[in-house]
Amino acid sequence: YYSSVLHFDYKNNKMRLYYEKETDLELWLDWLENNSHSELLHAQKLFHSKKIQWNMTKDQYQNNIEKIKYYLKEGDIYQVNFAQRFCVHGSIDDFISLLPSVTQEPHGAYLNFPDNHILSFSMERFIKISGDEILTQPIKGTVAKGCSKAQDDQNKKWLENSYKNAAEHVMIVDLERNDLSQVCQVGSINVPVLKRLYTFSTLHHLVSTVQGRLLKYVSFIDVLRAVFPGGSITGAPKLAAQQIIEELEPVCRGLYTGSIGFIDSTGFVDFNIAIRTLIHRNGFHYYSVGGGIVYDSTWEEEYEETLVKSQIILEYLGKGHRSL
């Protein structure tokens, strides 16, 4: 619980202070007189060439996708989100230098714990609760931004007309509707935005909005039990997809595809899905990327998608992905 918050608005070059007590105000004013946040605004990217290690080879990735497609053929699942992770040596100073870039993403976050430092470049909202209204905004469907306007327009048109991506997306929207139905009033769930293309820093995504009105006396914990983890980063059916993730992914996900957010004193809730999330621990940076696998998926395209999603971080790391 934070009794005061200092908010840097980099986009509009403003600073706001939210506080409960006059003593909080005095402490912040003293701090501001003696400290400058300019290093956060103008931090240089300190990463140099470092060897990036993935937690599976291309062959291992291909074999795992084939196993997933076997489960799909058997009817055990309809879709599963499968991820791989890379790690690279790096210092905490390197890590902090990326902090200004987090502000470019709509659901970015920075958390500083004794044993972990976390930067989330997430663009996906998990849940937002205001009064009795709740919404989730799943992302499913990805294409890179083009190098030219013509190529960019072509990429966007391809994504908007992709049957495979549309099928993946609708599966997850249905899953989220079912999850919300456990805590929402009958007949209140609707999808005001379906499969709309949104553009972010390096990627185009398909995004939907699923919303409803909460039942009386439903708590935030009740909501979490019903909807966590998000369907876009597990699959459908959710439990079966999680079991396959546990079986095939070589390391536990940890924070990746969990959620980061806040609850304020009025009960307002806003949480992201912790994708595009870089974790610093014991002198290493860890970063995971995944994608939805359906029966029409090819391992080559899915592997390439994980690299596209890694692009912004790999560029910051200064070397790009290594060939396997």
Side-chain angles (χ1 to χ4, degrees), residues 65 69 72 164 168 292-299 301-302:
I65 297 299
K69 294 185 75 169
L72 289 161
K164 171 185 170 292
E168 286 184 37
I293 311 300
V294 294
Y295 192 73
D296 290 338
S297 299
T298 65
W299 77 266
E301 290 179 353
E302 297 298 336

Side-chain angles (χ1 to χ4, degrees), residues 143-158:
V143 71
K145 292 174 73 172
C147 298
S148 65
K149 185 180 185 306
Q151 184 183 18
D152 199 49
D153 290 343
Q154 183 178 356
N155 287 359
K156 289 191 287 187
K157 185 176 180 180
W158 173 86

